[in-house]
Amino acid sequence: MASGNSEARRGLTATAVKILIAGGFGVGKTTMVGSVSEVPPLRTEEVITEASAGVDDLSGVEAKTTTTVALDFGRITINPELILYLFGTPGQDRFWFMWDELAHGALGAVVLADTRRLESCFAAVDFFERRGLPFIVGVNCFDGAYRYGTEEVRAALDVDHATPLLLCDARDRESTKQVLIVLLQHLLAGSELAGSVPFDR
């Protein structure tokens, strides 16, 4: 009997789901992908040089020394039937031309927000709203930053109440998993992942 179950399990085909992790420059996208990926994440980071002066806005993230120039990639297995492939988008304006390509085939997205520079995620919210791609908002709580309530952030972003918004810590694996759980539940509610099972709590 055990052998039969094992053979049946091997015969299952996992559903691969593409998820985007988006947001402005320096909000924690690379950190979020890396915190939860079960494989060493693929990163395309380069050192920030003087050439970016006047091009990239470092306001509020002056200590940042590297930046994603293409994408971040990670993977996490939810269950034998569902694998999430995570694609972190570049945050600088000059790389936004890549977003259309990265969004191709994605079922949903997480928009990361930094309350110290909330305007940096406006473009990501607009991008997904215009394309009708389901998304949720994760407010990355940086050390020392004032903690706004979720409804205050929702009002500032003008995000519909049907769009989940939650506080998180992109450095923490469990916190990132919770964000992905909420996104999966949001997609399930819209029948994008009917039949799939989210993380075990």
Side-chain angles (χ1 to χ4, degrees), residues 109-181:
V110 174
V111 173
L112 269 187
D114 176 356
T115 56
R116 301 170 304 176
R117 300 175 300 117
L118 203 55
E119 70 282 355
S120 69
C121 74
F122 289 171
V125 170
D126 289 343
F127 179 88
F128 297 123
E129 286 183 340
R130 287 197 308 269
R131 284 158 181 77
L133 187 68
F135 70 95
I136 69 169
V137 177
V139 180
N140 194 12
C141 298
F142 285 85
D143 292 339
Y146 181 79
R147 298 292 177 94
Y148 291 92
T150 55
E151 292 311 305
E152 291 178 280
V153 177
R154 184 183 300 280
L157 291 178
D158 193 24
V159 174
D160 189 271
H161 277 83
T163 300
L165 187 150
L166 67 161
L167 305 180
C168 66
D169 183 343
R171 302 168 298 182
D172 182 74
R173 178 179 173 82
E174 292 304 315
S175 183
T176 295
K177 283 172 62 176
Q178 183 58 38
V179 170
L180 295 175
I181 288 171

Side-chain angles (χ1 to χ4, degrees), residues 4-194:
N5 287 340
S6 178
E7 290 176 5
R9 185 172 295 276
R10 283 198 300 271
L12 291 174
T13 301
T15 297
V17 175
K18 182 179 182 180
I19 298 297
L20 297 186
I21 310 296
F25 180 56
V27 297
K29 301 179 297 294
T30 298
T31 300
M32 174 167 273
V33 172
S35 73
V36 79
S37 180
E38 64 193 13
V39 298
L42 170 66
R43 294 173 174 162
T44 56
E45 287 196 304
E46 295 293 340
V47 175
I48 296 175
T49 66
E50 291 183 2
S52 68
V55 178
D56 296 327
D57 183 7
L58 297 178
S59 301
V61 287
E62 291 84 0
K64 188 171 174 60
T65 58
T66 61
T67 183
T68 298
V69 296
L71 59 88
D72 298 307
F73 173 78
R75 183 191 75 196
I76 183 164
T77 301
I78 304 306
N79 59 44
E81 293 82 37
L82 182 61
I83 299 173
L84 297 187
Y85 289 98
L86 308 175
F87 289 78
T89 65
Q92 307 96 308
D93 296 5
R94 58 194 168 112
F95 293 124
W96 280 351
F97 68 92
M98 300 177 60
W99 282 38
D100 280 318
E101 186 66 29
L102 288 173
H104 182 71
L107 283 192
V110 174
V111 173
L112 269 187
D114 176 356
T115 56
R116 301 170 304 176
R117 300 175 300 117
L118 203 55
E119 70 282 355
S120 69
C121 74
F122 289 171
V125 170
D126 289 343
F127 179 88
F128 297 123
E129 286 183 340
R130 287 197 308 269
R131 284 158 181 77
L133 187 68
F135 70 95
I136 69 169
V137 177
V139 180
N140 194 12
C141 298
F142 285 85
D143 292 339
Y146 181 79
R147 298 292 177 94
Y148 291 92
T150 55
E151 292 311 305
E152 291 178 280
V153 177
R154 184 183 300 280
L157 291 178
D158 193 24
V159 174
D160 189 271
H161 277 83
T163 300
L165 187 150
L166 67 161
L167 305 180
C168 66
D169 183 343
R171 302 168 298 182
D172 182 74
R173 178 179 173 82
E174 292 304 315
S175 183
T176 295
K177 283 172 62 176
Q178 183 58 38
V179 170
L180 295 175
I181 288 171
V182 172
L183 175 59
L184 287 174
Q185 291 171 337
H186 185 52
L187 295 177
L188 281 166
S191 301
E192 296 288 350
L193 286 174

